[in-house]
Amino acid sequence: MKSTVSTAELEERVKALVRPERWAHIQRVAALAQEIALKNGLDGERAYLAGLLHDAARDLGEEELLRLAPPENEVERAHPLSLHGRAARVLAEAWGVKDEEVLEAVEGHVYGVDPQNGLGMALYIADISEPGRGVNGEIRELALSGRLLEAYRLAVGNKVAYLTAKGIPLHPKTLAVYRRLQDAP
């Protein structure tokens, strides 16, 4: 389902909410998500939109994040910044975005998405591997070579290993996605 607002208007709304460095990151993620989507037979325009919206709430204060996306578990209560994906979804919906796959991608870019959501996988990979981050280039190249599921499995596995090594509790959704990916062919 199409949005009731133009991409240009959404760009202005997001840009007004974030710091210039975050806006630069968002632009890189949106462009990379679009490229990954196209290389994997997905809709590049919708992937771009998900990338544009993914960090719309990232620079909001803790109080505003909690208002937009009340915590659903202990991990979210302990780490309010982890709510920014769900809060961005709430903003996107309020702005007229109605595409459920795009909205799921925006919300899921923090914890992971079901592997059935190709746009969500493209966004997740773009977010963790955009060139400005200077890491995960091998995951980006794998996704750009048309091996999206393989790249996504590696990305989620790396996140789980990193958080576990740091002693940071895994979000239940991340753990569920990780297990689902282990069982996927």
Side-chain angles (χ1 to χ4, degrees):
M1 179 183 279
K2 282 285 191 186
S3 302
T4 58
V5 64
S6 72
T7 301
E9 187 176 341
L10 290 170
E11 286 174 341
E12 289 306 313
R13 288 182 179 191
V14 172
K15 188 175 182 181
L17 288 178
V18 298
R19 298 184 327 267
E21 311 81 52
R22 178 91 47 222
W23 177 242
H25 163 73
I26 288 169
Q27 290 177 300
R28 290 188 302 268
V29 169
L32 182 56
Q34 181 176 41
E35 188 179 0
I36 289 170
L38 291 171
K39 297 282 186 177
N40 287 278
L42 302 169
D43 186 323
E45 186 179 319
R46 292 169 67 219
Y48 180 88
L49 179 60
L52 171 65
L53 295 167
H54 85 284
D55 269 357
R58 181 66 173 75
D59 290 343
L60 296 178
E62 196 171 288
E63 188 175 299
E64 184 65 2
L65 286 172
L66 292 168
R67 185 187 72 74
L68 288 169
E72 296 176 352
N73 57 54
E74 189 50 46
V75 173
E76 293 176 359
R77 279 187 281 285
H79 305 279
L81 191 55
S82 73
L83 299 168
H84 77 272
R86 191 157 5 106
R89 178 192 176 124
V90 170
L91 291 174
E93 288 173 323
W95 294 336
V97 177
K98 306 217 179 291
D99 185 321
E100 188 59 32
E101 189 175 6
V102 168
L103 292 168
E104 286 176 10
V106 169
E107 180 176 351
H109 87 275
V110 177
Y111 312 126
V113 296
D114 186 287
Q116 298 299 314
N117 185 328
L119 296 179
M121 290 192 298
L123 173 57
Y124 188 94
I125 292 165
D127 186 39
I128 62 113
S129 72
E130 62 94 346
R133 289 197 186 265
V135 295
N136 296 316
E138 71 287 354
I139 295 173
R140 178 177 60 246
E141 293 309 315
L142 199 57
L144 288 170
S145 73
R147 295 158 61 192
L148 184 62
L149 182 59
E150 190 178 337
Y152 184 57
R153 183 179 285 125
L154 183 59
V156 172
N158 284 359
K159 183 174 192 173
V160 167
Y162 172 80
L163 293 173
T164 302
K166 292 280 188 186
I168 300 170
L170 293 174
H171 191 281
K173 289 181 182 176
T174 303
L175 189 55
V177 168
Y178 176 74
R179 288 179 176 151
R180 202 169 305 130
L181 286 166
Q182 300 312 302
D183 295 338

